[in-house]
Protein backbone atom coordinates (compact mmCIF):
# COMPACT_ATOMS: atom_id res chain seq x y z
CA UNK A 1 0.00 0.00 0.00
CA UNK A 2 2.89 2.29 0.75
CA UNK A 3 4.24 1.73 -2.76
CA UNK A 4 0.86 2.48 -4.28
CA UNK A 5 0.52 5.67 -2.28
CA UNK A 6 4.01 6.71 -3.27
CA UNK A 7 3.55 6.09 -6.99
CA UNK A 8 0.25 8.01 -6.96
CA UNK A 9 1.85 11.04 -5.33
CA UNK A 10 1.41 14.26 -7.33
CA UNK A 11 4.74 15.64 -8.56
CA UNK A 12 5.93 18.76 -6.85
CA UNK A 13 4.08 21.90 -7.93
CA UNK A 14 6.38 24.91 -8.14
CA UNK A 15 4.24 27.18 -6.00
CA UNK A 16 6.83 29.96 -6.21
CA UNK A 17 6.20 30.30 -9.94
CA UNK A 18 2.42 30.01 -9.47
CA UNK A 19 2.64 32.87 -6.98
CA UNK A 20 5.06 34.97 -9.07
CA UNK A 21 2.98 34.76 -12.24
CA UNK A 22 -0.18 35.35 -10.22
CA UNK A 23 1.12 38.57 -8.70
CA UNK A 24 2.47 39.70 -12.09
CA UNK A 25 -0.95 39.00 -13.60
CA UNK A 26 -2.71 41.17 -11.04
CA UNK A 27 -0.19 44.04 -11.28
CA UNK A 28 -0.34 44.13 -15.09
CA UNK A 29 -4.11 43.85 -14.89
CA UNK A 30 -4.41 46.95 -12.71
CA UNK A 31 -2.10 48.92 -15.01
CA UNK A 32 -4.07 47.78 -18.07
CA UNK A 33 -7.37 48.72 -16.45
CA UNK A 34 -5.92 52.14 -15.58
CA UNK A 35 -5.05 52.69 -19.26
CA UNK A 36 -8.59 51.63 -20.18
CA UNK A 37 -10.23 53.98 -17.68
CA UNK A 38 -8.21 56.96 -18.95
CA UNK A 39 -9.23 56.08 -22.51
CA UNK A 40 -12.89 55.90 -21.46
CA UNK A 41 -12.67 59.38 -19.89
CA UNK A 42 -10.91 60.80 -22.96
CA UNK A 43 -14.06 60.06 -24.99
CA UNK A 44 -15.85 62.48 -22.64
CA UNK A 45 -13.02 64.95 -22.19
CA UNK A 46 -10.96 64.97 -25.43
CA UNK A 47 -8.47 67.47 -23.97
CA UNK A 48 -7.53 65.12 -21.16
CA UNK A 49 -3.81 64.48 -21.62
CA UNK A 50 -3.58 66.88 -24.57
CA UNK A 51 -0.01 67.96 -25.21
CA UNK A 52 1.41 64.85 -23.55
CA UNK A 53 2.14 62.34 -26.33
CA UNK A 54 2.28 59.25 -24.14
CA UNK A 55 -1.20 60.08 -22.82
CA UNK A 56 -2.71 60.19 -26.30
CA UNK A 57 -5.78 58.00 -26.86
CA UNK A 58 -4.20 55.67 -29.41
CA UNK A 59 -1.10 54.83 -27.36
CA UNK A 60 -3.11 54.22 -24.19
CA UNK A 61 -5.60 51.98 -26.01
CA UNK A 62 -2.77 49.90 -27.49
CA UNK A 63 -1.27 49.55 -24.00
CA UNK A 64 -4.69 48.57 -22.61
CA UNK A 65 -5.37 45.76 -25.08
CA UNK A 66 -1.86 44.27 -25.06
CA UNK A 67 -1.75 44.50 -21.27
CA UNK A 68 -5.02 42.59 -20.86
CA UNK A 69 -4.06 39.83 -23.29
CA UNK A 70 -0.35 39.31 -22.58
CA UNK A 71 0.12 40.82 -19.13
CA UNK A 72 -3.03 39.77 -17.27
CA UNK A 73 -4.25 36.69 -19.13
CA UNK A 74 -0.77 35.53 -20.18
CA UNK A 75 0.56 35.55 -16.63
CA UNK A 76 -2.65 34.09 -15.17
CA UNK A 77 -2.54 31.22 -17.66
CA UNK A 78 1.12 30.52 -16.87
CA UNK A 79 0.34 30.50 -13.13
CA UNK A 80 -2.44 27.97 -13.76
CA UNK A 81 -0.18 25.79 -15.92
CA UNK A 82 2.42 25.52 -13.14
CA UNK A 83 -0.37 24.26 -10.86
CA UNK A 84 -2.22 22.01 -13.30
CA UNK A 85 0.37 20.37 -15.56
CA UNK A 86 2.00 18.23 -12.81
CA UNK A 87 -1.45 17.06 -11.68
CA UNK A 88 -2.72 16.37 -15.20
CA UNK A 89 0.40 14.63 -16.45
CA UNK A 90 1.76 13.03 -13.29
CA UNK A 91 5.11 14.58 -14.15
CA UNK A 92 6.85 17.81 -13.11
CA UNK A 93 7.33 20.62 -15.61
CA UNK A 94 10.58 20.48 -17.55
CA UNK A 95 12.78 22.80 -15.50
CA UNK A 96 12.42 25.24 -12.60
CA UNK A 97 15.33 27.27 -14.02
CA UNK A 98 13.57 27.49 -17.39
CA UNK A 99 10.52 28.71 -15.49
CA UNK A 100 12.45 31.56 -13.93
CA UNK A 101 13.81 32.59 -17.32
CA UNK A 102 10.32 32.43 -18.81
CA UNK A 103 8.93 34.61 -16.01
CA UNK A 104 11.72 37.17 -16.49
CA UNK A 105 11.35 37.29 -20.27
CA UNK A 106 7.54 37.52 -20.22
CA UNK A 107 7.44 40.38 -17.75
CA UNK A 108 10.71 42.27 -18.20
CA UNK A 109 11.47 41.67 -21.89
CA UNK A 110 7.89 41.62 -23.24
CA UNK A 111 5.50 43.57 -21.03
CA UNK A 112 7.78 46.28 -19.66
CA UNK A 113 9.58 47.26 -22.91
CA UNK A 114 6.38 46.67 -24.90
CA UNK A 115 4.50 49.25 -22.86
CA UNK A 116 7.45 51.69 -22.84
CA UNK A 117 7.81 51.50 -26.62
CA UNK A 118 4.08 51.81 -27.31
CA UNK A 119 3.74 54.81 -25.00
CA UNK A 120 6.79 56.32 -26.71
CA UNK A 121 5.04 55.99 -30.06
CA UNK A 122 6.80 52.86 -31.37
CA UNK A 123 4.09 50.32 -32.24
CA UNK A 124 2.30 48.38 -34.98
CA UNK A 125 -1.14 49.48 -36.26
CA UNK A 126 -2.42 45.91 -35.95
CA UNK A 127 -5.32 44.82 -33.74
CA UNK A 128 -4.20 42.64 -30.79
CA UNK A 129 -0.65 42.93 -32.19
CA UNK A 130 0.33 46.46 -31.20
CA UNK A 131 3.70 45.71 -29.63
CA UNK A 132 6.54 46.38 -32.12
CA UNK A 133 8.48 43.69 -33.99
CA UNK A 134 11.42 43.62 -31.58
CA UNK A 135 9.03 42.67 -28.76
CA UNK A 136 7.25 40.16 -31.00
CA UNK A 137 10.55 38.32 -31.41
CA UNK A 138 10.83 37.96 -27.62
CA UNK A 139 7.20 36.79 -27.41
CA UNK A 140 7.91 34.03 -29.94
CA UNK A 141 10.98 32.93 -27.94
CA UNK A 142 8.89 32.96 -24.75
CA UNK A 143 6.12 30.90 -26.36
CA UNK A 144 8.73 28.39 -27.53
CA UNK A 145 10.09 28.20 -23.97
CA UNK A 146 6.54 27.68 -22.64
CA UNK A 147 6.07 24.80 -25.07
CA UNK A 148 9.33 23.21 -23.88
CA UNK A 149 8.33 23.78 -20.26
CA UNK A 150 4.79 22.40 -20.31
CA UNK A 151 4.35 19.99 -23.24
CA UNK A 152 6.88 17.16 -22.63
CA UNK A 153 5.22 15.95 -19.39
CA UNK A 154 2.05 15.13 -21.34
CA UNK A 155 3.72 12.74 -23.76
CA UNK A 156 5.55 10.46 -21.36
CA UNK A 157 2.72 7.90 -21.12
CA UNK A 158 0.86 8.24 -24.40
CA UNK A 159 -2.12 10.26 -25.53
CA UNK A 160 -4.73 7.78 -24.25
CA UNK A 161 -4.11 9.07 -20.70
CA UNK A 162 -4.82 12.71 -21.45
CA UNK A 163 -7.75 14.48 -19.81
CA UNK A 164 -9.56 17.14 -21.85
CA UNK A 165 -7.77 20.02 -20.06
CA UNK A 166 -4.48 18.53 -21.25
CA UNK A 167 -5.72 18.56 -24.84
CA UNK A 168 -6.69 22.22 -24.58
CA UNK A 169 -3.31 23.13 -23.06
CA UNK A 170 -1.44 21.31 -25.83
CA UNK A 171 -3.63 22.84 -28.53
CA UNK A 172 -3.42 26.34 -27.08
CA UNK A 173 0.36 26.35 -26.73
CA UNK A 174 1.04 24.79 -30.16
CA UNK A 175 -1.45 26.88 -32.15
CA UNK A 176 -0.42 30.12 -30.45
CA UNK A 177 3.21 29.43 -31.29
CA UNK A 178 2.19 29.04 -34.94
CA UNK A 179 -0.40 31.83 -35.13
CA UNK A 180 1.46 34.57 -33.28
CA UNK A 181 4.10 35.19 -36.01
CA UNK A 182 1.36 35.04 -38.66
CA UNK A 183 -0.61 37.88 -37.08
CA UNK A 184 2.18 39.95 -35.53
CA UNK A 185 5.03 39.68 -38.04
CA UNK A 186 3.68 38.64 -41.46
CA UNK A 187 1.36 41.68 -41.95
CA UNK A 188 4.39 43.98 -41.68
CA UNK A 189 5.82 42.40 -44.83
CA UNK A 190 2.63 41.69 -46.82
CA UNK A 191 1.03 44.94 -47.98
CA UNK A 192 -2.59 45.77 -48.72
CA UNK A 193 -5.62 43.53 -48.37
CA UNK A 194 -3.51 40.38 -48.13
CA UNK A 195 -1.74 41.72 -45.05
CA UNK A 196 -5.09 42.77 -43.61
CA UNK A 197 -6.37 39.23 -44.12
CA UNK A 198 -3.48 37.83 -42.06
CA UNK A 199 -4.17 40.44 -39.39
CA UNK A 200 -7.86 39.54 -39.37
CA UNK A 201 -7.08 35.87 -38.89
CA UNK A 202 -4.89 36.74 -35.89
CA UNK A 203 -7.56 38.98 -34.34
CA UNK A 204 -9.69 35.90 -33.86
CA UNK A 205 -6.85 33.43 -33.40
CA UNK A 206 -5.65 35.47 -30.42
CA UNK A 207 -9.04 34.93 -28.83
CA UNK A 208 -9.82 31.50 -30.24
CA UNK A 209 -6.48 29.70 -30.23
CA UNK A 210 -4.70 31.36 -27.28
CA UNK A 211 -7.29 32.70 -24.85
CA UNK A 212 -10.19 30.25 -25.40
CA UNK A 213 -8.30 26.92 -25.16
CA UNK A 214 -6.43 27.93 -22.01
CA UNK A 215 -9.58 29.37 -20.43
CA UNK A 216 -11.48 26.15 -21.22
CA UNK A 217 -8.57 24.12 -19.83
CA UNK A 218 -9.06 25.97 -16.54
CA UNK A 219 -12.83 25.51 -16.54
CA UNK A 220 -12.62 21.78 -17.33
CA UNK A 221 -9.98 21.42 -14.57
CA UNK A 222 -11.65 23.41 -11.80
CA UNK A 223 -15.17 21.95 -12.15
CA UNK A 224 -14.31 18.31 -11.27
CA UNK A 225 -11.61 19.41 -8.81
CA UNK A 226 -14.06 21.56 -6.85
CA UNK A 227 -17.20 19.42 -7.15
CA UNK A 228 -15.37 16.07 -6.76
CA UNK A 229 -17.52 14.71 -9.59
CA UNK A 230 -16.49 13.77 -13.16
CA UNK A 231 -17.45 15.93 -16.10
CA UNK A 232 -20.75 14.93 -17.71
CA UNK A 233 -19.38 13.54 -21.00
CA UNK A 234 -15.83 12.86 -22.14
CA UNK A 235 -17.14 12.37 -25.70
CA UNK A 236 -18.75 15.82 -25.80
CA UNK A 237 -15.61 17.39 -24.33
CA UNK A 238 -13.45 15.94 -27.12
CA UNK A 239 -16.03 16.76 -29.81
CA UNK A 240 -15.96 20.37 -28.62
CA UNK A 241 -12.17 20.41 -28.62
CA UNK A 242 -11.76 19.20 -32.23
CA UNK A 243 -14.55 21.42 -33.57
CA UNK A 244 -12.94 24.44 -31.92
CA UNK A 245 -9.56 23.87 -33.53
CA UNK A 246 -11.10 22.97 -36.89
CA UNK A 247 -13.43 25.98 -37.12
CA UNK A 248 -11.69 28.81 -35.29
CA UNK A 249 -8.79 29.33 -37.75
CA UNK A 250 -11.38 30.10 -40.44
CA UNK A 251 -13.21 32.74 -38.43
CA UNK A 252 -11.01 35.82 -38.55
CA UNK A 253 -12.01 37.06 -41.99
CA UNK A 254 -15.51 37.85 -40.69
CA UNK A 255 -13.93 41.08 -39.41
CA UNK A 256 -13.74 42.12 -43.08
CA UNK A 257 -17.30 41.44 -44.21
CA UNK A 258 -18.21 43.93 -46.99
CA UNK A 259 -14.49 44.59 -47.63
CA UNK A 260 -12.16 43.97 -50.60
CA UNK A 261 -11.28 40.52 -49.23
CA UNK A 262 -12.57 37.88 -51.75
CA UNK A 263 -16.24 37.11 -51.11
CA UNK A 264 -15.50 33.37 -50.99
CA UNK A 265 -13.24 33.98 -47.97
CA UNK A 266 -15.88 36.17 -46.34
CA UNK A 267 -18.59 33.51 -46.84
CA UNK A 268 -16.30 30.79 -45.47
CA UNK A 269 -15.69 32.89 -42.35
CA UNK A 270 -19.42 33.57 -41.92
CA UNK A 271 -20.21 29.86 -42.24
CA UNK A 272 -17.46 28.90 -39.79
CA UNK A 273 -18.73 31.52 -37.34
CA UNK A 274 -22.24 30.03 -37.43
CA UNK A 275 -20.92 26.48 -36.96
CA UNK A 276 -18.72 27.65 -34.10
CA UNK A 277 -21.88 28.68 -32.29
CA UNK A 278 -23.02 25.04 -32.47
CA UNK A 279 -19.67 23.94 -31.06
CA UNK A 280 -19.97 26.38 -28.15
CA UNK A 281 -23.48 25.08 -27.36
CA UNK A 282 -22.05 21.55 -27.17
CA UNK A 283 -19.17 22.64 -24.91
CA UNK A 284 -21.29 24.78 -22.60
CA UNK A 285 -24.04 22.13 -22.34
CA UNK A 286 -21.39 19.64 -21.22
CA UNK A 287 -19.96 22.11 -18.70
CA UNK A 288 -23.35 23.08 -17.27
CA UNK A 289 -24.36 19.43 -16.93
CA UNK A 290 -21.05 18.88 -15.15
CA UNK A 291 -21.97 21.70 -12.75
CA UNK A 292 -25.33 20.13 -11.83
CA UNK A 293 -25.82 20.14 -8.09
CA UNK A 294 -23.31 22.95 -7.51
CA UNK A 295 -25.93 25.69 -7.84
CA UNK A 296 -26.20 28.54 -10.32
CA UNK A 297 -23.73 30.55 -8.22
CA UNK A 298 -21.51 27.93 -6.52
CA UNK A 299 -20.17 28.55 -3.03
CA UNK A 300 -16.59 27.58 -3.84
CA UNK A 301 -14.97 30.88 -4.99
CA UNK A 302 -12.85 29.41 -7.77
CA UNK A 303 -15.77 27.35 -9.06
CA UNK A 304 -18.03 30.41 -8.86
CA UNK A 305 -15.69 32.39 -11.12
CA UNK A 306 -15.35 29.64 -13.73
CA UNK A 307 -19.10 28.89 -13.70
CA UNK A 308 -19.82 32.56 -14.38
CA UNK A 309 -17.14 32.57 -17.08
CA UNK A 310 -19.00 29.64 -18.68
CA UNK A 311 -22.25 31.63 -18.78
CA UNK A 312 -20.41 34.56 -20.40
CA UNK A 313 -18.76 32.16 -22.89
CA UNK A 314 -22.16 31.03 -24.15
CA UNK A 315 -23.53 34.57 -24.45
CA UNK A 316 -20.50 36.11 -26.15
CA UNK A 317 -20.06 33.21 -28.57
CA UNK A 318 -23.68 33.20 -29.73
CA UNK A 319 -23.44 36.98 -30.04
CA UNK A 320 -20.31 36.57 -32.19
CA UNK A 321 -21.94 33.98 -34.46
CA UNK A 322 -24.92 36.28 -34.90
CA UNK A 323 -23.00 39.49 -35.62
CA UNK A 324 -20.86 37.71 -38.24
CA UNK A 325 -23.99 37.43 -40.42
CA UNK A 326 -24.10 40.14 -43.08
CA UNK A 327 -27.42 41.73 -42.14
CA UNK A 328 -26.45 42.18 -38.48
CA UNK A 329 -22.83 42.99 -39.26
CA UNK A 330 -23.99 45.83 -41.47
CA UNK A 331 -25.99 47.32 -38.58
CA UNK A 332 -23.44 47.07 -35.76
CA UNK A 333 -19.97 47.08 -37.33
CA UNK A 334 -17.73 49.94 -36.12
CA UNK A 335 -20.22 50.75 -33.34
CA UNK A 336 -19.83 50.38 -29.57
CA UNK A 337 -21.71 47.07 -29.85
CA UNK A 338 -18.40 45.53 -30.94
CA UNK A 339 -16.56 47.17 -28.03
CA UNK A 340 -19.09 45.65 -25.63
CA UNK A 341 -18.72 42.26 -27.33
CA UNK A 342 -14.92 42.40 -27.00
CA UNK A 343 -15.11 43.26 -23.30
CA UNK A 344 -17.59 40.44 -22.72
CA UNK A 345 -15.08 38.03 -24.28
CA UNK A 346 -11.88 39.22 -22.61
CA UNK A 347 -13.15 40.55 -19.27
CA UNK A 348 -16.18 38.28 -19.03
CA UNK A 349 -15.44 34.79 -20.29
CA UNK A 350 -11.62 34.82 -20.25
CA UNK A 351 -10.98 36.92 -17.15
CA UNK A 352 -13.54 35.08 -15.00
CA UNK A 353 -12.01 31.76 -16.07
CA UNK A 354 -8.49 33.10 -15.37
CA UNK A 355 -9.53 34.50 -11.99
CA UNK A 356 -11.18 31.18 -11.12
CA UNK A 357 -8.04 29.25 -12.02
CA UNK A 358 -5.89 31.68 -10.05
CA UNK A 359 -8.09 31.49 -6.95
CA UNK A 360 -8.28 27.69 -7.21
CA UNK A 361 -4.48 27.34 -7.42
CA UNK A 362 -3.90 30.00 -4.74
CA UNK A 363 -6.06 28.12 -2.24
CA UNK A 364 -3.72 25.15 -2.59
CA UNK A 365 -0.50 27.06 -1.80
CA UNK A 366 0.19 26.36 1.90
CA UNK A 367 2.06 29.63 2.50
CA UNK A 368 -0.04 32.02 0.38
CA UNK A 369 -2.17 34.68 2.02
CA UNK A 370 -5.89 34.41 1.32
CA UNK A 371 -8.74 36.79 2.17
CA UNK A 372 -12.08 35.09 1.44
CA UNK A 373 -14.16 38.23 2.08
CA UNK A 374 -12.21 40.30 -0.43
CA UNK A 375 -12.50 37.50 -3.02
CA UNK A 376 -16.27 37.48 -2.53
CA UNK A 377 -16.44 41.27 -2.94
CA UNK A 378 -14.28 41.01 -6.08
CA UNK A 379 -16.71 38.58 -7.68
CA UNK A 380 -19.80 40.71 -7.18
CA UNK A 381 -18.10 43.99 -8.17
CA UNK A 382 -16.80 42.39 -11.36
CA UNK A 383 -20.18 40.90 -12.27
CA UNK A 384 -21.94 44.23 -11.68
CA UNK A 385 -19.30 46.27 -13.55
CA UNK A 386 -19.13 43.95 -16.53
CA UNK A 387 -22.88 43.61 -17.00
CA UNK A 388 -23.35 47.36 -16.74
CA UNK A 389 -20.60 48.00 -19.29
CA UNK A 390 -21.78 45.40 -21.82
CA UNK A 391 -25.45 46.38 -21.67
CA UNK A 392 -24.53 50.07 -21.89
CA UNK A 393 -22.23 49.64 -24.90
CA UNK A 394 -24.63 47.26 -26.65
CA UNK A 395 -27.44 49.81 -26.48
CA UNK A 396 -25.01 52.56 -27.54
CA UNK A 397 -24.03 50.47 -30.56
CA UNK A 398 -27.63 49.99 -31.61
CA UNK A 399 -28.27 53.75 -31.33
CA UNK A 400 -25.14 54.58 -33.33
CA UNK A 401 -25.96 52.01 -36.02
CA UNK A 402 -29.48 53.32 -36.40
CA UNK A 403 -28.31 56.92 -36.79
CA UNK A 404 -25.68 55.91 -39.36
CA UNK A 405 -28.15 53.84 -41.38
CA UNK A 406 -30.55 56.80 -41.37
CA UNK A 407 -27.83 58.99 -42.86
CA UNK A 408 -27.62 61.31 -39.85
CA UNK A 409 -24.48 63.48 -39.56
CA UNK A 410 -21.73 61.62 -37.73
CA UNK A 411 -21.56 64.25 -34.99
CA UNK A 412 -25.16 63.40 -34.04
CA UNK A 413 -24.10 59.86 -33.23
CA UNK A 414 -21.31 61.30 -31.05
CA UNK A 415 -23.79 63.47 -29.15
CA UNK A 416 -26.20 60.51 -28.76
CA UNK A 417 -23.34 58.34 -27.45
CA UNK A 418 -22.31 60.71 -24.69
CA UNK A 419 -24.77 59.45 -22.07
CA UNK A 420 -23.58 55.90 -22.65
CA UNK A 421 -19.93 56.92 -22.40
CA UNK A 422 -20.74 58.71 -19.11
CA UNK A 423 -22.24 55.50 -17.71
CA UNK A 424 -19.20 53.50 -18.80
CA UNK A 425 -16.58 55.95 -17.51
CA UNK A 426 -18.27 56.97 -14.26
CA UNK A 427 -20.04 53.70 -13.46
CA UNK A 428 -18.86 50.40 -14.85
CA UNK A 429 -15.16 51.36 -15.04
CA UNK A 430 -14.95 52.02 -11.30
CA UNK A 431 -16.92 48.87 -10.45
CA UNK A 432 -14.51 46.81 -12.54
CA UNK A 433 -11.46 48.57 -11.07
CA UNK A 434 -12.84 47.97 -7.57
CA UNK A 435 -13.38 44.32 -8.39
CA UNK A 436 -9.85 43.80 -9.63
CA UNK A 437 -8.38 45.69 -6.64
CA UNK A 438 -10.44 43.43 -4.36
CA UNK A 439 -9.06 40.41 -6.18
CA UNK A 440 -5.52 41.66 -5.53
CA UNK A 441 -6.38 42.30 -1.88
CA UNK A 442 -7.95 38.85 -1.61
CA UNK A 443 -4.79 37.14 -2.83
CA UNK A 444 -2.26 39.24 -0.90
CA UNK A 445 -3.87 39.76 2.52
CA UNK A 446 -5.42 37.49 5.12
CA UNK A 447 -3.82 34.59 6.99
CA UNK A 448 -1.15 32.50 5.32
CA UNK A 449 -2.65 29.19 4.26
CA UNK A 450 -6.17 30.50 4.83
CA UNK A 451 -7.29 29.21 1.43
CA UNK A 452 -5.85 25.77 2.03
CA UNK A 453 -7.54 25.48 5.41
CA UNK A 454 -10.90 26.22 3.81
CA UNK A 455 -10.32 23.61 1.10
CA UNK A 456 -9.20 20.95 3.56
CA UNK A 457 -12.33 21.58 5.61
CA UNK A 458 -14.59 21.16 2.57
CA UNK A 459 -13.64 19.12 -0.52
CA UNK A 460 -10.05 18.23 0.36
CA UNK A 461 -6.90 18.55 -1.73
CA UNK A 462 -6.42 15.00 -3.04
CA UNK A 463 -6.21 14.79 -6.86
CA UNK A 464 -9.53 14.04 -8.49
CA UNK A 465 -9.66 10.62 -10.10
CA UNK A 466 -10.91 11.84 -13.47
CA UNK A 467 -8.27 14.53 -13.86
CA UNK A 468 -5.36 12.29 -12.97
CA UNK A 469 -6.66 8.70 -13.10
CA UNK A 470 -4.06 6.61 -14.88
CA UNK A 471 -1.17 8.93 -15.28
CA UNK A 472 0.92 7.29 -12.59
CA UNK A 473 1.04 3.49 -12.58
CA UNK A 474 0.28 1.72 -9.35
CA UNK A 475 2.58 -1.00 -8.06
CA UNK A 476 2.50 -4.01 -10.35
CA UNK A 477 1.39 -2.16 -13.49
CA UNK A 478 -0.81 0.58 -14.86
CA UNK A 479 -4.04 1.16 -13.01
Amino acid sequence: MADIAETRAVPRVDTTLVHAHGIAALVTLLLSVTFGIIVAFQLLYPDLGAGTPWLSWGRLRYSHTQGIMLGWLGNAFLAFLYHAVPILSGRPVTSPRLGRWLFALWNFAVMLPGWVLVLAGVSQPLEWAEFPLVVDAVVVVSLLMAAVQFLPPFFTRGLEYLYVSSWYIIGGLVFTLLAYPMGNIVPEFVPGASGAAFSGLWIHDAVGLFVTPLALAIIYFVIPAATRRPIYSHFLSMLGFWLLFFLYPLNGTHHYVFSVIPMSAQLAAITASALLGVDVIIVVANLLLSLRGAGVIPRDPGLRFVATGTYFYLIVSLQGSMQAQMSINQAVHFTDWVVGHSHLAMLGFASFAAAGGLVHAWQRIPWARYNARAINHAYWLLVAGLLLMVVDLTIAGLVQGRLWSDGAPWIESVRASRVFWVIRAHGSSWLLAGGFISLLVGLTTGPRGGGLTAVEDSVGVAPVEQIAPKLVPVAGGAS
Side-chain angles (χ1 to χ4, degrees):
M1 290 299 291
D3 291 342
I4 293 176
E6 184 178 350
T7 52
R8 282 189 175 279
V10 176
R12 177 178 176 272
V13 172
D14 195 329
T15 54
T16 303
L17 285 170
V18 174
H19 193 268
H21 277 291
I23 295 297
L26 294 167
V27 170
T28 52
L29 171 64
L30 291 180
L31 287 170
S32 304
V33 169
T34 301
F35 295 141
I37 290 176
I38 296 173
V39 164
F41 273 96
Q42 285 179 331
L43 290 175
L44 297 172
Y45 312 106
D47 292 333
L48 180 65
T52 307
W54 69 270
L55 280 176
S56 60
W57 193 91
R59 297 183 191 183
L60 289 173
R61 181 184 175 277
Y62 282 6
S63 300
H64 171 65
T65 54
Q66 292 282 264
I68 290 295
M69 186 175 73
L70 298 177
W72 155 234
L73 293 176
N75 271 301
F77 290 154
L78 288 170
F80 167 75
L81 292 179
Y82 279 109
H83 171 78
V85 169
I87 297 173
L88 290 164
S89 67
R91 292 289 180 270
V93 298
T94 299
S95 165
R97 177 175 293 183
L98 179 63
R100 282 148 181 76
W101 274 104
L102 176 57
F103 175 83
L105 275 183
W106 195 262
N107 289 289
F108 300 111
V110 172
M111 290 313 305
L112 185 59
W115 270 337
V116 170
L117 288 170
V118 165
L119 292 174
V122 182
S123 59
Q124 297 182 132
L126 300 171
E127 190 75 9
W128 293 115
E130 292 88 349
F131 281 173
L133 280 175
V134 63
V135 177
D136 290 334
V138 184
V139 173
V140 172
V141 172
S142 301
L143 292 173
L144 186 60
M145 291 169 62
V148 172
Q149 180 75 319
F150 298 113
L151 294 185
F154 288 119
F155 299 108
T156 54
R157 296 199 177 278
L159 299 179
E160 66 270 25
Y161 296 115
L162 295 184
Y163 174 64
V164 61
S165 288
S166 309
W167 283 100
Y168 275 113
I169 292 170
I170 295 169
L173 292 178
V174 171
F175 272 84
T176 303
L177 186 56
L178 298 174
Y180 190 90
M182 176 197 69
N184 289 262
I185 298 174
V186 171
E188 289 282 10
F189 302 99
V190 179
S194 298
F198 281 110
S199 178
L201 289 173
W202 166 249
I203 292 172
H204 244 71
D205 285 356
V207 178
L209 301 180
F210 171 57
V211 171
T212 299
L214 295 176
L216 287 176
I218 293 173
I219 295 172
Y220 270 116
F221 184 95
V222 172
I223 288 177
T227 63
R228 316 302 292 182
R229 292 194 302 272
I231 58 169
Y232 178 74
S233 168
H234 177 69
F235 170 75
L236 291 180
S237 71
M238 294 313 300
L239 179 62
F241 169 83
W242 287 111
L243 283 175
L244 175 80
F245 281 96
F246 178 74
L247 294 171
Y248 231 119
L250 305 173
N251 262 8
T253 309
H254 74 206
H255 288 267
Y256 298 113
V257 173
F258 298 114
S259 73
V260 297
I261 302 293
M263 184 52 70
S264 57
Q266 296 183 40
L267 293 175
I270 293 169
T271 304
S273 301
L275 293 174
L276 193 61
V278 177
D279 175 47
V280 170
I281 291 173
I282 293 171
V283 172
V284 172
N286 194 28
L287 291 170
L288 295 182
L289 287 168
S290 303
L291 279 164
R292 64 194 186 284
V296 176
I297 304 174
R299 295 185 62 182
D300 180 276
L303 185 63
R304 188 188 308 161
F305 271 106
V306 302
T308 307
T310 304
Y311 307 146
F312 290 144
Y313 181 46
L314 177 65
I315 297 169
V316 76
S317 299
L318 294 183
Q319 188 186 38
S321 297
M322 184 177 65
Q323 67 197 41
Q325 307 309 306
M326 283 186 163
S327 57
I328 299 176
N329 187 282
Q330 191 171 29
V332 302
H333 199 50
F334 296 124
T335 72
D336 279 350
W337 168 296
V338 180
V339 182
H341 171 72
S342 179
H343 280 83
L344 185 56
M346 298 299 273
L347 290 185
F349 160 55
S351 290
F352 273 73
L358 206 54
V359 170
H360 179 86
W362 219 263
Q363 285 182 296
R364 285 150 180 82
I365 301 177
W367 48 268
R369 295 188 181 278
Y370 186 81
N371 184 331
R373 179 174 294 183
I375 297 291
N376 187 52
H377 290 162
Y379 172 82
W380 288 109
L381 284 169
L382 291 173
V383 168
L386 183 72
L387 290 179
L388 179 60
M389 174 181 283
V390 172
V391 170
D392 174 64
L393 291 176
T394 300
I395 297 173
L398 293 173
V399 171
Q400 293 160 354
R402 178 60 183 270
L403 288 171
W404 295 347
S405 65
D406 289 345
W410 179 77
I411 193 64
E412 283 195 24
S413 68
V414 175
R415 294 191 184 103
S417 302
R418 185 171 179 80
V419 63
F420 300 103
W421 294 343
V422 168
I423 293 172
R424 178 172 73 165
H426 291 279
S428 59
S429 293
W430 295 119
L431 287 171
L432 286 168
F436 288 128
I437 290 172
S438 293
L439 185 61
L440 175 65
V441 171
L443 298 180
T444 54
T445 64
R448 292 190 184 277
L452 184 60
T453 302
V455 172
E456 288 175 333
D457 291 342
S458 55
V459 297
V461 295
V464 178
E465 192 71 13
Q466 190 184 31
I467 296 177
K470 301 176 181 178
L471 300 172
V472 182
V474 298
S479 62

